[in-house]
Amino acid sequence: MSAEPATRTRVQLPYWIHGSVQTALLMTIFLLVLTLVVLAPLLIMFVATFQDGNDVIRRGLSFDIDLGSLSLDNYVMLFTDSGPYFRWFANSILLTVVQVAGTLLVSSFVAYGFAVYDFKGKTALFIAVLLLMAVPFEIMMLPLYVLVNDVGLADSYSVIVLPFLAASVTIFYFRQYFLGIPKDLLEAGRMDGATEFGIFFKIVVPVAKPAFAAMAILNGMIIWNNFLWPLLVLRSESKFTLPIGLNTLLTPHENNYELLIIGSLFSLLPVLVLFLLFQRFFVAGMTAGALKG
């Protein structure tokens, strides 16, 4: 006698699972397309670093590439005959590191005061911080420039760093984050004999690592790409930052397109490194800062 074939049982998945899979697939495709759109200009720019700069400017950036014209001449020029390029690069790195560290320290102190302590005029001062967020820098630029010249601080790095250590956006963000830290945690530190500075550095800072990472990336990108204010106050070529230095490569008499193109590409590296260092905290920090307050 032949055995009857086993009956296969078909499991019907709920309709919402099918919908979730389709949604995830569509989102994946959308993000892949968006990634290609974002990366395409960078890829074209990278290929342009192997081409003659005058030809690139004449024909424009495109994927229509003559492979026979590609060479490493621009890279050789960058590392052997780029003039003050790496001096500008080092200036920008120095200013970015110092200003980011100073901004995080000063702004977090101010935000911690707003979030934890009660003092006279607290509400009025915080409203002033909010108002500063709505004022464009171009409005404050002229009086600040006059003040800088009156006190004799022009053509120095201090005038680039000092006026912006207490950044209103960074203060607001840190305050919202610190409001979510349990007060019992701070009181426990005080009961253990910790000073207020000890509580901040040993309890608050470790808890707020995602917030510090998110603000480090945001401020780092802003400071690295800062062009207008350093252009106004810096006058010595040896003190130029990278954005200003690259701009000087275009003159009425001669244009160094090769260094401009490859130098612009290399200027992306510090921002990329900054993001890679802090990216594991970035999403957590931005999400927590948006939900607390």
Side-chain angles (χ1 to χ4, degrees):
M1 295 179 62
S2 60
E4 295 183 0
T7 303
R8 295 183 179 180
T9 303
R10 299 183 62 183
V11 178
Q12 184 68 32
L13 296 176
Y15 73 92
W16 56 267
I17 294 183
H18 290 289
S20 299
V21 172
Q22 293 174 357
T23 302
L25 180 61
L26 290 176
M27 287 299 297
T28 301
I29 295 174
F30 171 75
L31 292 175
L32 286 175
V33 173
L34 185 62
T35 301
L36 292 175
V37 171
V38 172
L39 292 180
L42 297 179
L43 179 60
I44 296 175
M45 189 174 179
F46 173 72
V47 175
T49 61
F50 297 95
Q51 300 173 281
D52 180 80
N54 292 311
D55 291 341
V56 172
I57 298 300
R58 189 182 308 114
R59 295 186 293 104
L61 295 171
S62 70
F63 283 112
D64 184 14
I65 303 167
D66 180 11
L67 297 180
S69 65
L70 301 183
S71 70
L72 295 174
D73 292 344
N74 293 338
Y75 287 86
V76 173
M77 177 269 299
L78 176 67
F79 291 103
T80 61
D81 189 28
S82 60
Y85 174 81
F86 285 104
R87 177 63 181 269
W88 301 334
F89 201 98
N91 292 343
S92 287
I93 289 180
L94 174 64
L95 281 174
T96 301
V97 171
V98 172
Q99 192 167 347
V100 167
T103 301
L104 293 182
L105 181 64
V106 174
S107 298
S108 62
F109 275 168
V110 176
Y112 184 71
F114 281 126
V116 175
Y117 302 112
D118 291 322
F119 52 89
K120 187 176 181 181
K122 173 181 175 180
T123 302
L125 288 174
F126 186 67
I127 291 175
V129 172
L130 296 180
L131 290 176
L132 281 175
M133 293 174 58
V135 178
F137 171 70
E138 288 76 11
I139 294 179
M140 300 182 293
M141 182 174 62
L142 182 57
L144 185 59
Y145 178 74
V146 173
L147 175 63
V148 164
N149 281 278
D150 288 343
V151 297
L153 290 177
D155 199 27
S156 66
Y157 290 149
S158 59
V159 77
I160 298 177
V161 176
L162 294 178
F164 308 103
L165 291 180
S168 56
V169 174
T170 308
I171 292 172
F172 176 77
Y173 178 84
F174 274 130
R175 174 188 176 272
Q176 299 304 104
Y177 198 97
F178 292 157
L179 286 174
I181 298 178
K183 298 296 188 296
D184 294 340
L185 189 62
L186 307 181
E187 290 299 329
R190 294 188 180 97
M191 292 178 63
D192 288 340
T195 64
E196 294 301 312
F197 283 102
I199 292 173
F200 180 81
F201 286 108
K202 295 180 181 179
I203 298 177
V204 175
V205 172
V207 171
K209 280 183 179 179
F212 279 90
M215 288 298 98
I217 293 175
L218 178 63
N219 284 282
M221 290 189 299
I222 293 174
I223 296 167
W224 179 261
N225 295 313
N226 193 12
F227 175 76
L228 184 57
W229 180 242
L231 178 66
L232 288 176
V233 297
L234 295 180
R235 297 162 187 172
S236 302
E237 182 180 356
S238 60
K239 296 181 180 180
F240 284 172
T241 59
L242 192 55
I244 303 174
L246 291 176
N247 188 65
T248 62
L249 298 177
L250 301 178
T251 68
H253 308 289
E254 184 181 6
N255 298 316
N256 192 342
Y257 292 123
E258 288 83 3
L259 183 57
L260 177 64
I261 294 172
I262 194 172
S264 299
L265 181 67
F266 268 73
S267 70
L268 302 176
L269 294 180
V271 176
L272 179 61
V273 171
L274 180 67
F275 181 79
L276 292 177
L277 288 176
F278 296 106
Q279 58 89 22
R280 68 192 183 100
F281 299 110
F282 182 69
V283 174
M286 295 302 291
T287 303
L291 295 178
K292 296 177 180 178

